[in-house]
Amino acid sequence: LVPEQPMATQLRAAALMAAAWRYGDLSNAHDLQGIGAMIAPAATLYGNTGKAAILDGMRRFRHTYPKVWWTFRDWHAPSLNEVEFAFDRYWTDSATGGVLMCTAAEVIGFDADARMVSITYTEAPSAPVQVPGYPPDASPLDFVDAEPSD
């Protein structure tokens, strides 16, 4: 908490930061149903608009990037409606079985109820590079393609 900011502002920033962290945790768990509960009905995430299209895009993404795992850092709230962060994204290369990694940064926009209304890149993903493996604290999972129930 920041003493010079009003308590309501500090609480809002803390709530959004907690929501962004939860999104990161759910992403690493491939919990699309949990992510779906965080999405506002008319949201636009990664260029997909509406919850069904967003979740379908996330499903396709996980097929493209097997065992995807994110390591997040540099969390901050640039406004009362946004949380920005950077990450390293790891995944298994389907062709070689090796682990690839790229870096990027995103900002999540939230509505008054702390539901996600947008996610956009503030730094596009870098070119992937081969790395020796996943980070030691990573627990990459296979994605089980199941339709979320609303």
Side-chain angles (χ1 to χ4, degrees):
L1 298 179
V2 182
E4 61 272 5
Q5 290 183 340
M7 183 59 76
T9 299
Q10 293 181 57
L11 292 174
R12 170 76 176 167
L16 295 187
M17 195 66 68
W21 290 337
R22 177 158 170 72
Y23 170 71
D25 288 344
L26 293 171
S27 293
N28 277 335
H30 305 307
D31 184 348
L32 298 188
Q33 184 173 356
I35 292 171
M38 297 182 68
I39 298 171
T44 300
L45 279 61
Y46 306 111
N48 296 300
T49 300
K51 192 181 293 193
I54 291 166
L55 293 174
D56 184 58
M58 289 182 174
R59 207 173 274 107
R60 284 183 277 116
F61 178 88
R62 282 162 173 77
H63 285 291
T64 303
Y65 298 95
K67 294 191 176 189
V68 65
W69 180 268
W70 292 265
T71 300
F72 301 97
R73 64 181 183 288
D74 303 332
W75 299 88
H76 66 281
S79 78
L80 287 179
N81 296 314
E82 297 175 313
V83 172
E84 188 172 2
F85 54 92
F87 61 85
D88 300 321
R89 180 172 64 214
Y90 299 83
W91 67 96
T92 301
D93 183 352
S94 297
T96 67
V99 177
L100 298 175
M101 188 267 294
C102 70
T103 61
E106 295 178 337
V107 62
I108 302 176
F110 293 93
D111 67 11
D113 296 320
R115 293 177 303 179
M116 296 187 298
V117 295
S118 64
I119 299 180
T120 55
Y121 285 111
T122 56
E123 180 185 315
S126 64
V129 295
Q130 181 115 19
V131 294
Y134 288 88
D137 61 338
S139 300
L141 304 169
D142 286 315
F143 174 59
V144 177
D145 196 357
E147 294 286 328
S149 59
D150 287 325

